[in-house]
Amino acid sequence: MPNHTADLPIIATDAAAQGRGRLRSGRPPRPGSWSELFSPGHLPAALVLAGGVALYATNVYVTAALLPSAVDEFGGAQYFAWAATVFLTASVISSMLVTRTVARSGAARAYVGAFAVFALGTLINMLAPSMELLLVGRTVQGLGGGLLAGLGYAVIRTALPERLWTRAAGLVSAMWGVGNLLGPALGGLFAQIGLWRGAFATMALLALVLAWVSRNAVPGGAEQTGEVPSVPVLSLALLASTAAAFSVASVLPRGASTVACLAAAVLLLFAFVLRERFGATTVLPKLTYRRGNALKWVYLALGLLSAGAMTEAFIPLFGQELAGLPPLLAGFLGASLSVGWTAAQLCSVNIESQRGRNAVMLLGPAILAAGLFGYAALVTPEAGAWLVVAWAAVLFAAGSGIGMAFPHLSVAAMRSTDDPVEGGKAAAGVSTTQLIANAVSSSVVGMLVVAGGPTAAGSAQTMAVGIGIVAVLGAACALQAIRGRATR
């Protein structure tokens, strides 16, 4: 099989290449237009695909903004950090069941169920009289949210023609940036007027509306792919435990307990990979673990690219401590990364040439790294207005790196096989990879911030340089994905 490295198109396979576990270069169809994606025939599907991910992403930041008000009302400050941990762990678990849910029930029923479960958890949060019950609601929300996040990528293959996959992937992925912008604003607004429960009511209503729309917007019947594979219980348990261990490590007091928790997480992740490689049923496609197949590099590039977004949680804090910004302006500074992510993503999907697509998959992580290194270089105590503007510019550039590469890497995963069952796993694996990466990288970011102390400037620089190095590794993985080679 020829080895195209100079101008390798987005990854695809044929039956023979799949059987050998090798990827071939295949020219994808000329992409459709935005007007076609938003035409009456495709708009309902696009709304549901994007709306589910937007609801998930917005919810993360809405809840973070509302929790202080909830704690003021009924206490439970000791459980504050667990609100994110239980949500993320539940999300990872349900995201790994996306393929089987669609195969058994069809995309429409899967979406209706996911929106309904999410709405139920949100209503529990709205009515919660205590932090303990709010944690129950967050867990239920996570179960529905993980399905929504995974369905947003998995259903693209069946809900839309292939020529629209790249634009749809860009739209869905852009919703993470939109959620990062909308969530704090919505949560802050309701908290400011003293109606924090109203934010949950609004989100529950949106979920129910989208559940109604999804009944006819996406394919209704269960996929005819033969016998539905059994659930890989051990793999699910290992990966969920890995996510939980990394999440717990991020909330433990720094010290021996953190090191022990991280060591346990790494061992659990290693056990998951071994189980996946040799197990009869798997979470990720079998071809992920085949020698010579590039899908593993696609997933690694996506995961390492996602880590860059986790720095956004600390940027507003550094803006307040280093430049004396008020909370609102500090929030806008933190949003610079999301704005860059969203803007670049919606532009990147217009690239039609194979060489151009390969270039942005490689340049995206590199630009993310350059932006973070630039931020680290510009950090200084008592920063003035112009330096804050420079921070915003380099953070915008860093976010642009994520946005330009993410949709093309996502579609590379979707096109990694023509087998419908494995293809569904490959598409759903994009979301699972992202959620796991968020759990791991949020813990890593937290530890980098602590390691850079005791000054805010040292913490900001250590965080930016550390995650910048992670982004460089992402560029290396993207290069391997483009070359279509695995470690031999």
Side-chain angles (χ1 to χ4, degrees):
M1 185 179 72
N3 180 23
H4 301 280
T5 58
D7 191 23
L8 185 67
I10 296 293
I11 298 169
T13 66
D14 57 17
Q18 180 186 330
R20 295 190 299 270
R22 298 290 301 275
L23 297 178
R24 68 171 173 83
S25 61
R27 186 171 297 278
R30 186 180 182 85
S33 63
W34 285 114
S35 60
E36 183 182 5
L37 180 62
F38 296 133
S39 65
H42 299 307
L43 178 59
L47 178 63
V48 169
L49 294 170
V53 174
L55 202 61
Y56 177 97
T58 301
N59 172 71
V60 173
Y61 292 92
V62 162
T63 305
L66 298 176
L67 276 178
S69 297
V71 169
D72 286 342
E73 179 177 323
F74 49 60
Q78 67 272 28
Y79 300 121
F80 193 98
W82 289 96
T85 299
V86 298
F87 175 80
L88 182 58
T89 303
S91 298
V92 171
I93 293 171
S94 60
S95 74
M96 294 185 289
L97 298 174
V98 166
T99 303
R100 289 160 182 82
T101 303
V102 173
R104 290 181 184 278
S105 304
R109 288 183 180 179
Y111 257 118
V112 170
F115 280 122
V117 171
F118 183 88
L120 174 62
T122 307
L123 289 173
I124 293 174
N125 288 344
M126 182 188 74
L127 300 172
S130 66
M131 182 62 85
E132 290 83 356
L133 191 57
L134 191 141
L135 292 180
V136 172
R138 289 290 284 164
T139 302
V140 176
Q141 266 191 322
L143 293 173
L147 284 174
L148 292 175
L151 288 168
Y153 295 100
V155 177
I156 287 176
R157 286 173 54 96
T158 54
L160 297 168
E162 187 176 356
R163 64 182 178 276
L164 292 175
W165 286 2
T166 301
R167 293 195 187 277
L171 177 66
V172 168
S173 185
M175 292 303 102
W176 294 96
V178 170
N180 291 356
L181 293 171
L182 184 60
L186 182 63
L189 173 63
F190 278 94
Q192 184 72 32
I193 62 177
L195 296 174
W196 66 269
R197 296 179 188 271
F200 287 124
T202 301
M203 297 196 68
L205 178 61
L206 288 173
L208 292 175
V209 169
L210 287 170
W212 177 265
V213 174
S214 64
R215 296 176 308 123
N216 299 312
V218 293
E223 293 186 5
Q224 301 301 313
T225 57
E227 183 180 354
V228 178
S230 58
V231 176
V233 176
L234 183 55
S235 290
L236 290 174
L238 288 169
L239 193 51
S241 299
T242 300
F246 275 113
S247 297
V248 170
S250 68
V251 301
L252 287 175
R254 299 299 177 238
S257 59
T258 303
V259 174
C261 199
L262 286 174
V266 171
L267 288 175
L268 285 167
L269 184 59
F270 182 71
F272 165 76
V273 173
L274 287 179
R275 175 62 184 174
E276 285 278 286
R277 187 175 182 87
F278 300 108
T281 57
T282 59
V283 173
L284 298 175
K286 274 290 188 183
L287 59 90
T288 307
Y289 307 99
R290 289 177 184 163
R291 187 178 181 85
N293 191 284
L295 183 57
K296 63 177 68 64
W297 298 112
V298 173
Y299 284 149
L300 284 170
L302 282 167
L304 295 171
L305 196 65
S306 298
M310 293 298 100
T311 61
E312 200 170 44
F314 288 91
I315 296 298
L317 174 64
F318 295 141
Q320 293 180 63
E321 294 190 357
L322 297 174
L325 297 178
L328 181 61
L329 289 181
F332 283 128
L333 175 65
S336 300
L337 194 143
S338 288
V339 173
W341 178 352
T342 303
Q345 201 147 230
L346 297 179
C347 295
S348 176
V349 296
N350 295 313
I351 297 174
E352 297 184 7
S353 72
Q354 309 302 340
R355 191 179 296 275
R357 294 178 182 186
N358 289 339
V360 294
M361 284 195 290
L362 180 60
L363 287 175
I367 292 175
L368 169 61
L372 291 175
F373 291 150
Y375 173 71
L378 292 171
V379 163
T380 184
E382 300 180 3
W386 286 109
L387 193 56
V388 172
V389 172
W391 291 350
V394 294
L395 290 170
F396 179 92
S400 299
I402 302 174
M404 69 172 59
F406 209 98
H408 298 292
L409 287 167
S410 300
V411 174
M414 295 177 198
R415 290 191 175 125
S416 60
T417 177
D418 295 324
D419 179 84
V421 174
E422 292 293 282
K425 283 186 180 180
V430 172
S431 177
T432 300
T433 298
Q434 187 175 10
L435 294 178
I436 288 293
N438 289 346
V440 174
S441 56
S442 63
S443 178
V444 171
V445 167
M447 288 184 291
L448 288 170
V449 168
V450 172
T455 67
S459 293
Q461 290 170 334
T462 302
M463 177 197 73
V465 171
I467 301 302
I469 293 171
V470 169
V472 171
L473 296 177
C477 291
L479 179 60
Q480 288 293 337
I482 291 168
R483 288 177 172 174
R485 296 173 181 170
T487 303
R488 298 183 184 279

